[in-house]
Amino acid sequence: MRKSMYSVAVGLMVSSLPFLSSAQTETIKQVKLTNFDLQSSSLISATGAELSNTQYHSPVYWFPVKVPSTVLTGLVANHIYPSPYLGLNNMLIPDASDQFNKEYNLEQYSFLPNDPNPWKKPYWYRTTFKIAAGEKGRHFQLIFKGINYRAAVWVNGKQIADSTQMVGMFADYNLDVTAAVIAGGENALAVKIYPLDYPGYPAKEQLQAMGPFYENGGPTGDIGKNVTMLCSVGWDWIPPVRDRNMGIWQPVYLRSTGAVTIGHPKLVTDLPNLPDTSTAKISLNLTLSNHSNTTQNGKLTVSISPENFNGLSSQFSQAIAVAANGSSIVDLNADKVSQLLIKQPHLWWPNGYGRANLYQIRLQYTDGNGVVADDTSFVFGIRTVGSKASVVNGFVRREFFVNGKKVHLVGGAWVPDMMVNRDSARYDYEMHLCRNANVNLVRIWGGGVTPPDAFWNAADKYGEMVWSDFWVTGDTQGEFKGSPDWPLEGNVFIKNVVSTIYRVRNHPSLLVWTGGNEGHARKELYDAMRDNVIGLDGTRPFIPSSSGFAKLPAGWKGSYPDNMTSGVYSGGPYDWEDPKVYYKKADVGGDWVFKDETGLPSQPPYTTLAKTVTNLVWDTKLPFPLNNTWGYHDAATGAGKYDKYYQEMVKRYGQPQTMENFSDKMQLMNAVGYQGIFEAAGHKINETGGVMLWKLNAALPSVIWQIYDWYLEPNAGYYAMQNACEPLHIQFNQDDSTVAVINRMHHATGSLTAKADIYDIDSKLIKSFSAEHISLNETGSPEVIKLKELLTATKGVSFVVLNLTNAAGKNVSHNVYWLSPGNDFTSFNTMQATELQTRVLSEEKGTSENKWTLELSNNTDKIAFFVRPQLMNNGEEVMPSYWTANYFTLAPHESIKVTVGAPVAILGGTQPSVLVEGWNVAKQEIALSAK
């Protein structure tokens, strides 16, 4: 083992506030332990006590890793295995299943000599750290935010926890190490990570493009015996994760405090006079624990201040005694404390409905000597959430409310990274992408993971509501396969449930808990989820399952608080459909009264194609440009029907001639498909509870079910969703050929004018229509122009160009459709070329993001079709980039203003440029200097 002294950065849990300067400043320290060494226990004979001795020297090499890190992530970082994200590399790594290894001859790739399955035995993580001499006498906590699957911990030769105490992927563990650490010297930590109790048996590998997908969760679903990331055994969008993500997958902290610590704070906000929101009440509950042998007579100080807006701060203190080796429960509310009654509060609203205003609360316990014993803070939002269910033509429909107002949910499922490798910057980028797409709801899918704190912080910041499934699926707990007897250790499941509720219940983004995905756990566990949500949270709805098709057994309690069934429905469609199909479903109602899973294959743009399928040599036995590597990245049949998606593309737009032409034609498919889903639901906005995608993001480079890819590159469907879900929107209803105006807002629109211009393939204007003095007082979707008669008589391709302007003449919505009898758009291949003029209007440089506003003008007599601007840096597209519009079409003599932003951390110190191209638009690159 390398002999080295690790240095760790010390971060303050909170920043100091001026009005607390009278307290002594013995800092509460929280150190993130990052630098560890990793090795398999098959090579290490030493015990935990020996490994946690600072004098330990290993006879074998250990791999340096940065925690958080799963075992496989660490081995990939050390070049033991190739990146499983790319190509067919995953087939060069042994699996956790012995049977599976034999079937695919994967044993040959074990890096452990004479050990064909490198994931069968535990792994050791080891580190050392120093504690200053001045810390002597303080209380020390070792905090594990997430391990998988079991762990045992030693510090300085002493065992702190064993593998019966630390088990399950979704609990955090707070260990008292006060008696074990050495202040003024070096300390050693050894963590023994155990693999899953049952590794699960994967389904057949997807090694054939356009071939079948196999069973989600494997043929038996036996991964469900564990409380873990169920999809780590493989699903129809993720291959088996070879080590099943065993390891320390969330951060490890060492925290030092005084004798009294603050635990499990619960903050609840209420708007008691709804619909009046001028008064808010806050209640606060927490536990003070005294770790000393003497009674502590101190005071709790509570400070509340604005986090992301300008406003007044408040503070109050209460004297509280905590008995020796005891605890005190503190319960404060607005009836007892005037500072918890907030007048004219800045409310937290979901994306599209208002600002996501946030406050910070700081909690300090000061002992009798004026020394701060503990000091913690967190961000919260003032808001209420609720739900109600009603029966519509035999289907229960669920609706959700924030601050007393109905919110129409538009979003989709969120899946974990294949190797749970997202960091706080990545979570911020992805939530920002979601906000930019007008997503307002992100669903934590039950076969994945409840994500780390950084995800929830970003969701709070960007106004993204979160729907959180517990870790149950129909493919593992008996609805389709698996068994209701799984997971086998119910006590482990319940412990993980309780820990998760404690961890995330203060986040304003959390909208609803569900008992799992498309199924139910056994009654013992179902009741535990429901009861603990009520008892430990009680402020949010709980629904039994993400699918109303999964029927609750007789006698089981239903949703909380209304005791109704779920009222939400999965079941797709998951393949590409003509928009008219979605309109028909929305018009009929049925399971589309709240559709929580639908989607389509989603080929990324050409920009990331070579990164998604690293081997791009065409196999001429397959449709151009595919080879079988595409199959491993989800170009297969199954629920997504990539084969149908491809065939429909060829039927509509003609055989692709180049890879770039193929990618562009697939973007046309994406745009039409996602537009159809969200506009079909939008035209029934008052009759539906919402529509959600399967899914928003990707676990690895993929060609299916995503609005942006693993590299954070949006496809055209992303911008179709952005446009369809804008707060005020004009659209062409494809069930009856009418133009409608959709108001998603809770306030009046003012006077609007709608205009529809119909062009032919040669850009000749066929006819114009307009409707004036349109006004909506609240949410609605009135039809304002009828186009059926004209379009029925039109032959060939026609473009429907829609614009909505307000009373000041400002364009507030722009939308374009391409239509043709029989859906024949092959004439696009000979469309007349045109050009655009691009002008940079402004530049805004910020601390975390830079923005540019541009005007693109079509000064010709030709339609500029499917225009795609890209932010470029050193010849590469900047990802992520946040465009206010993209893949747009401009009629003759039409112009558009767009803004693009990108993180400063990605841009570096260089000045990017913008590349403008389109279906029939010549490429041009624009320097980003405002003129």
Side-chain angles (χ1 to χ4, degrees):
M1 181 171 164
R2 298 166 299 111
K3 186 174 181 181
S4 60
M5 184 65 65
Y6 295 126
S7 62
V8 288
V10 176
L12 298 186
M13 190 66 177
V14 292
S15 57
S16 59
L17 296 177
F19 46 71
L20 296 176
S21 58
S22 60
Q24 292 186 29
T25 57
E26 187 165 356
T27 305
I28 309 305
K29 295 177 181 176
Q30 183 154 302
V31 178
K32 187 176 181 180
L33 304 180
T34 302
N35 297 307
F36 282 73
D37 287 321
L38 171 75
Q39 192 49 273
S40 169
S41 64
S42 68
L43 302 179
I44 305 299
S45 59
T47 65
E50 292 168 332
L51 290 171
S52 62
N53 187 310
T54 57
Q55 302 305 309
Y56 172 77
H57 295 279
S58 175
V60 301
Y61 179 78
W62 288 56
F63 302 108
V65 296
K66 296 286 187 181
V67 168
S69 172
T70 65
V71 172
L72 181 55
T73 293
L75 294 177
V76 170
N78 280 276
H79 310 291
I80 300 302
Y81 289 117
S83 170
Y85 296 106
L86 303 178
L88 293 175
N89 285 351
N90 207 39
M91 298 305 298
L92 303 176
I93 306 172
D95 193 73
S97 165
D98 289 334
Q99 178 182 348
F100 193 82
N101 283 335
K102 287 182 171 60
E103 291 172 359
Y104 288 91
N105 194 25
L106 299 180
E107 295 172 334
Q108 64 179 311
Y109 301 115
S110 176
F111 81 101
L112 297 174
N114 307 311
D115 201 341
N117 186 339
W119 322 119
K120 208 163 186 176
K121 295 177 182 177
Y123 277 74
W124 286 104
Y125 288 72
R126 185 181 186 275
T127 192
T128 58
F129 55 92
K130 279 189 172 182
I131 297 176
E135 295 282 288
K136 188 173 183 179
R138 292 174 63 73
H139 180 70
F140 290 88
Q141 300 161 287
L142 188 62
I143 302 168
F144 289 82
K145 298 297 289 183
I147 57 94
N148 191 36
Y149 182 62
R150 295 178 183 269
V153 176
W154 288 261
V155 174
N156 294 334
K158 298 178 181 179
Q159 185 162 9
I160 307 301
D162 64 33
S163 61
T164 65
Q165 297 166 295
M166 296 180 68
V167 55
M169 193 173 185
F170 309 112
D172 52 9
Y173 302 92
N174 192 323
L175 308 177
D176 186 344
V177 294
T178 305
V181 297
I182 300 168
E186 188 176 17
N187 297 261
L189 165 66
V191 184
K192 192 175 189 178
I193 293 290
Y194 292 78
L196 271 61
D197 293 348
Y198 306 91
Y201 174 54
K204 292 181 181 180
E205 289 280 18
Q206 178 52 51
L207 297 173
Q208 182 182 355
M210 302 301 202
F213 266 119
Y214 298 99
E215 302 93 340
N216 289 337
T220 66
D222 59 343
I223 188 79
K225 294 177 180 179
N226 312 276
V227 183
T228 193
M229 176 175 153
L230 300 173
C231 65
S232 66
V233 77
W235 227 261
D236 58 1
W237 44 270
I238 180 175
V241 185
R242 296 307 187 202
D243 69 341
R244 306 295 188 265
N245 283 327
M246 67 180 295
I248 304 176
W249 75 282
Q250 289 205 45
V252 179
Y253 297 101
L254 179 70
R255 192 165 193 266
S256 63
T257 67
V260 175
T261 56
I262 300 166
H264 296 315
K266 178 185 179 183
L267 187 146
V268 176
T269 62
D270 185 31
L271 299 170
N273 302 320
L274 286 174
D276 179 9
T277 60
S278 62
T279 300
K281 290 184 174 182
I282 297 175
S283 62
L284 177 66
N285 180 279
L286 55 88
T287 301
L288 296 173
S289 298
N290 184 0
H291 305 278
S292 73
N293 296 320
T294 59
T295 297
Q296 298 290 324
N297 293 299
K299 67 177 181 179
L300 177 71
T301 300
V302 178
S303 309
I304 297 173
S305 57
E307 172 71 9
N308 62 354
F309 64 92
N310 295 321
L312 299 176
S313 299
S314 64
Q315 183 190 70
F316 65 91
S317 298
Q318 295 227 338
I320 301 173
V322 190
N325 298 307
S327 61
S328 296
I329 296 176
V330 179
D331 202 348
L332 304 171
N333 58 55
D335 296 331
K336 302 175 184 177
V337 180
S338 62
Q339 290 87 344
L340 296 178
L341 183 70
I342 311 295
K343 294 293 187 180
Q344 304 301 326
H346 288 68
L347 301 183
W348 187 92
W349 285 102
N351 185 29
Y353 291 97
R355 279 182 49 87
N357 292 302
L358 294 168
Y359 293 80
Q360 183 189 86
I361 186 167
R362 183 178 184 182
L363 308 173
Q364 287 186 310
Y365 186 81
T366 309
D367 66 20
N369 297 318
V371 176
V372 176
D374 202 1
D375 188 340
T376 189
S377 65
F378 59 90
V379 168
F380 71 96
I382 295 179
R383 61 98 184 93
T384 63
V385 298
S387 175
K388 75 174 184 179
S390 55
V391 179
V392 181
N393 296 326
F395 280 79
V396 175
R397 176 187 66 198
R398 188 156 295 281
E399 297 172 297
F400 291 92
F401 299 82
V402 175
N403 301 329
K405 300 283 190 179
K406 179 186 170 182
V407 289
H408 192 257
L409 303 189
V410 287
W414 172 278
V415 295
D417 180 82
M418 178 180 174
M419 292 160 63
V420 290
N421 276 336
R422 296 184 181 112
D423 59 15
S424 58
R426 174 80 178 211
Y427 285 117
D428 188 273
Y429 296 161
E430 294 204 38
M431 288 297 98
H432 194 162
L433 277 168
C434 286
R435 182 184 72 173
N436 190 59
N438 287 319
V439 167
N440 64 28
L441 187 282
V442 175
R443 174 191 166 207
I444 303 304
W445 174 69
V449 304
T450 303
D453 298 339
F455 165 89
W456 297 92
N457 295 337
D460 294 342
K461 172 183 174 181
Y462 291 113
E464 295 299 322
M465 296 177 284
V466 181
W467 162 317
S468 193
D469 290 359
F470 286 111
W471 324 286
V472 172
T473 78
D475 288 289
T476 52
Q477 269 70 43
E479 185 77 15
F480 312 132
K481 59 182 180 339
S483 170
D485 294 333
W486 302 343
L488 293 175
E489 293 185 292
N491 61 314
V492 172
F493 184 89
I494 294 169
K495 181 179 179 180
N496 280 245
V497 166
V498 169
S499 181
T500 297
I501 296 171
Y502 277 136
R503 181 169 68 89
V504 305
R505 65 184 178 182
N506 290 323
H507 288 278
S509 54
L510 179 57
L511 174 72
V512 58
W513 302 96
T514 87
N517 171 63
E518 297 181 329
H520 305 100
R522 61 184 179 271
K523 191 172 190 302
E524 161 207 358
L525 304 185
Y526 176 82
D527 287 346
M529 287 185 283
R530 190 180 188 277
D531 292 347
N532 278 296
V533 164
I534 296 169
L536 299 178
D537 182 349
T539 67
R540 297 174 177 87
F542 170 88
I543 61 176
S545 172
S546 67
S547 179
F549 294 121
K551 303 299 182 185
L552 270 176
W556 289 29
K557 293 180 180 178
S559 300
Y560 170 80
D562 58 32
N563 206 35
M564 296 281 284
T565 56
S566 293
V568 299
Y569 304 90
S570 60
Y574 300 102
D575 58 331
W576 193 92
E577 299 284 359
D578 187 279
K580 293 180 179 64
V581 172
Y582 301 118
Y583 274 88
K584 183 176 180 181
K585 290 178 178 295
D587 289 341
V588 170
D591 58 338
W592 275 66
V593 295
F594 196 121
K595 174 54 63 173
D596 70 0
E597 280 192 15
T598 188
L600 58 136
S602 311
Q603 179 69 37
Y606 182 72
T607 313
T608 56
L609 179 56
K611 299 178 182 180
T612 301
V613 182
T614 51
N615 172 14
L616 283 175
V617 177
W618 176 34
D619 182 342
T620 56
K621 295 179 182 178
L622 291 167
F624 176 82
L626 276 56
N627 61 44
N628 283 325
T629 304
W630 289 67
Y632 209 77
H633 294 267
D634 307 323
T637 57
K641 301 179 183 176
Y642 191 93
D643 52 343
K644 173 187 172 183
Y645 174 60
Y646 184 98
Q647 292 159 10
E648 192 68 26
M649 176 271 291
V650 172
K651 175 184 172 184
R652 289 173 177 245
Y653 303 109
Q655 188 68 40
Q657 300 303 308
T658 66
M659 284 192 188
E660 193 165 3
N661 183 242
F662 161 81
S663 301
D664 291 344
K665 288 181 176 180
M666 285 305 203
Q667 297 317 304
L668 295 173
M669 297 290 289
N670 293 343
V672 169
Y674 283 103
Q675 181 186 61
I677 288 172
F678 289 102
E679 291 191 342
H683 98 293
K684 294 290 184 182
I685 191 168
N686 287 334
E687 288 79 41
T688 60
V691 63
M692 294 156 56
L693 293 174
W694 181 260
K695 51 189 178 51
L696 294 169
N697 65 332
L700 78 164
S702 173
V703 298
I704 197 168
W705 296 327
Q706 60 196 352
I707 59 171
Y708 58 88
D709 69 14
W710 191 74
Y711 298 101
L712 306 183
E713 171 75 300
N715 62 65
Y718 173 99
Y719 290 102
M721 180 181 183
Q722 179 194 66
N723 183 260
C725 299
E726 61 188 343
L728 187 57
H729 178 63
I730 189 168
Q731 70 181 48
F732 173 72
N733 287 342
Q734 302 203 38
D735 54 349
D736 59 4
S737 298
T738 58
V739 176
V741 175
I742 314 299
N743 181 23
R744 295 180 177 273
M745 303 179 295
H746 293 143
H747 57 78
T749 64
S751 182
L752 303 169
T753 298
K755 186 179 181 186
D757 296 319
I758 317 300
Y759 293 85
D760 66 14
I761 188 66
D762 296 318
S763 304
K764 178 183 177 183
L765 179 64
I766 299 173
K767 193 168 184 179
S768 293
F769 300 83
S770 64
E772 300 178 343
H773 309 300
I774 304 164
S775 182
L776 288 79
N777 292 325
E778 53 189 2
T779 304
S781 55
E783 297 174 346
V784 296
I785 298 173
K786 295 180 179 180
L787 298 178
K788 187 172 185 178
E789 183 177 348
L790 174 71
L791 293 174
T792 301
T794 301
K795 296 179 180 180
V797 172
S798 56
F799 293 94
V800 178
V801 180
L802 305 180
N803 286 286
L804 187 68
T805 54
N806 63 17
K810 179 183 178 182
N811 191 296
V812 294
S813 181
H814 173 77
N815 207 350
V816 176
Y817 302 78
W818 47 100
L819 308 171
S820 175
N823 294 315
D824 180 359
F825 300 102
T826 53
S827 57
F828 282 2
N829 297 313
T830 55
M831 199 171 177
Q832 297 180 36
T834 189
E835 59 183 22
L836 295 176
Q837 279 69 51
T838 304
R839 188 162 60 103
V840 182
L841 300 180
S842 65
E843 179 180 35
E844 178 185 335
K845 292 200 171 183
T847 55
S848 61
E849 182 180 349
N850 292 344
K851 294 181 180 180
W852 295 266
T853 299
L854 302 90
E855 183 179 62
L856 290 86
S857 300
N858 179 10
N859 297 326
T860 75
D861 294 326
K862 303 299 179 186
I863 289 172
F865 181 52
F866 219 51
V867 180
R868 183 190 176 207
Q870 300 168 61
L871 188 66
M872 306 295 290
N873 201 352
N874 296 321
E876 296 283 336
E877 185 175 4
V878 177
M879 293 176 278
S881 296
Y882 312 112
W883 290 90
T884 55
N886 215 311
Y887 293 95
F888 48 80
T889 295
L890 296 177
H893 306 288
E894 202 170 45
S895 60
I896 187 172
K897 291 180 182 177
V898 295
T899 297
V900 60
V904 171
I906 299 295
L907 292 168
T910 61
Q911 184 79 350
S913 61
V914 166
L915 176 66
V916 177
E917 59 183 344
W919 185 269
N920 64 331
V921 176
K923 287 186 179 181
Q924 57 174 317
E925 192 155 356
I926 311 299
L928 282 177
S929 55
K931 295 180 180 178

